[in-house]
Amino acid sequence: QVTLKESGPALVKPTQTLTLTCTFSGFSATNSQMRMNWIRQPPGEALEWLARIDWDDDKFYSTSLKTRLTISKDTSKNQVVLTMTNMEPVDTATYYCARSGGYGRFDNWGQGILVTVSS
Amino acid sequence: QSALTQPRSVSGSPGQSITISCTGTSNDVGGYDYVSWYQQYPGKAPKLMICDVSKRPSGVPGRFSGSKSGNTASLTISGLQAEDEADYYCCSYAGSYSSGLFGTGTKVTVL
């Protein structure tokens, strides 16, 4: 059974850096099918894909946010980490980690974590 | 990249069939057979309902089906049930630099 869970701060101040961790179980981080993503959803708005890291450490970022994002993984801890710099109020959203089981699909999702950006 | 276009809302009575459209371009929906659909209840994480245009993951009811024609993908819910009232999002592969491009979302209301 695949499980994913996000953790991190619920509140960050403008200009700060956000660090989110996704801890997963039910599959191996070294499995060649592992593709882990971060996706966000502002309140009342649509989903937006942010970043992905593959089992071989290949990394991909949203074109519009790539200068602010870094994704990494800790294989020994079964964790994937996302950092987003220079946070702004418009970055207020629920952030999800999700596992891709193939192209253009997200098979398993964490429960999400609401991050509010406010001074 | 712009989000895929979905109708803001669709409604139907129990037992009826409804179809949600998802319009993109030849660079995403029209270029790949990798369209997926997600159901999302308020305050909950999305759930994969359809992948690879028309494949149903295990456990998804058979009344959900997907299709694609040109740059437009569609999700059909046949025999609409009260529990189908939720938000639905489409997603398409859009090339190797991205995992997926999401749609604008559709709220389904069961009358």
Side-chain angles (χ1 to χ4, degrees):
Chain A
Q1 178 189 0
V2 173
T3 63
L4 311 170
K5 187 171 184 180
E6 305 87 350
S7 59
L11 178 67
V12 297
K13 290 180 167 48
T15 75
Q16 286 187 335
T17 294
L18 171 68
T19 299
L20 296 173
T21 300
C22 174
T23 303
F24 58 87
S25 63
F27 62 97
S28 171
T30 59
N31 187 299
S32 62
Q33 299 302 311
M34 191 212 81
R35 301 184 183 93
M36 292 295 291
N37 302 266
W38 285 96
I39 295 162
R40 72 178 180 180
Q41 184 176 35
E45 298 185 27
L47 299 161
E48 178 185 20
W49 175 79
L50 300 177
R52 184 182 104 214
I53 187 165
D54 294 348
W55 69 278
D56 57 359
D57 217 36
D58 271 351
K59 300 167 187 175
F60 306 85
Y61 297 100
S62 163
T63 303
S64 60
L65 292 168
K66 64 185 303 182
T67 60
R68 300 173 54 204
L69 297 173
T70 302
I71 191 169
S72 61
K73 62 181 172 65
D74 186 330
T75 303
S76 65
K77 295 181 179 179
N78 275 4
Q79 291 180 335
V80 173
V81 176
L82 179 77
T83 62
M84 180 180 290
T85 61
N86 195 24
M87 293 291 285
E88 303 175 2
V90 294
D91 296 315
T92 293
T94 296
Y95 287 76
Y96 296 100
C97 64
R99 185 186 75 92
S100 287
Y103 294 110
R105 58 189 272 191
F106 305 97
D107 295 60
N108 309 99
W109 295 67
Q111 63 188 23
I113 181 170
L114 175 61
V115 178
T116 300
V117 184
S118 175
S119 55
Chain B
Q1 281 181 311
S2 298
L4 306 176
T5 301
Q6 298 180 232
R8 182 172 292 272
S9 63
V10 173
S11 62
S13 300
Q16 286 187 329
S17 293
I18 62 168
T19 297
I20 304 169
S21 61
C22 170
T23 301
T25 71
S26 58
N27 294 321
D28 37 70
V29 175
Y32 308 93
D33 286 334
Y34 296 125
V35 176
S36 54
W37 289 89
Y38 302 84
Q39 178 189 63
Q40 185 180 35
Y41 293 115
K44 300 297 185 181
K47 174 187 175 183
L48 179 66
M49 303 299 283
I50 295 288
C51 60
D52 299 346
V53 176
S54 59
K55 296 178 182 177
R56 272 193 318 276
S58 175
V60 174
R63 63 180 183 276
F64 290 88
S65 63
S67 62
K68 191 187 84 167
S69 178
N71 296 337
T72 298
S74 299
L75 173 71
T76 297
I77 308 175
S78 304
L80 195 62
Q81 298 186 7
E83 67 211 51
D84 300 332
E85 184 163 295
D87 293 327
Y88 292 82
Y89 292 91
C90 62
C91 181
S92 174
Y93 183 67
S96 59
Y97 59 89
S98 166
S99 272
L101 181 63
F102 285 99
T104 50
T106 298
K107 180 175 180 56
V108 169
T109 301
V110 181
L111 302 172

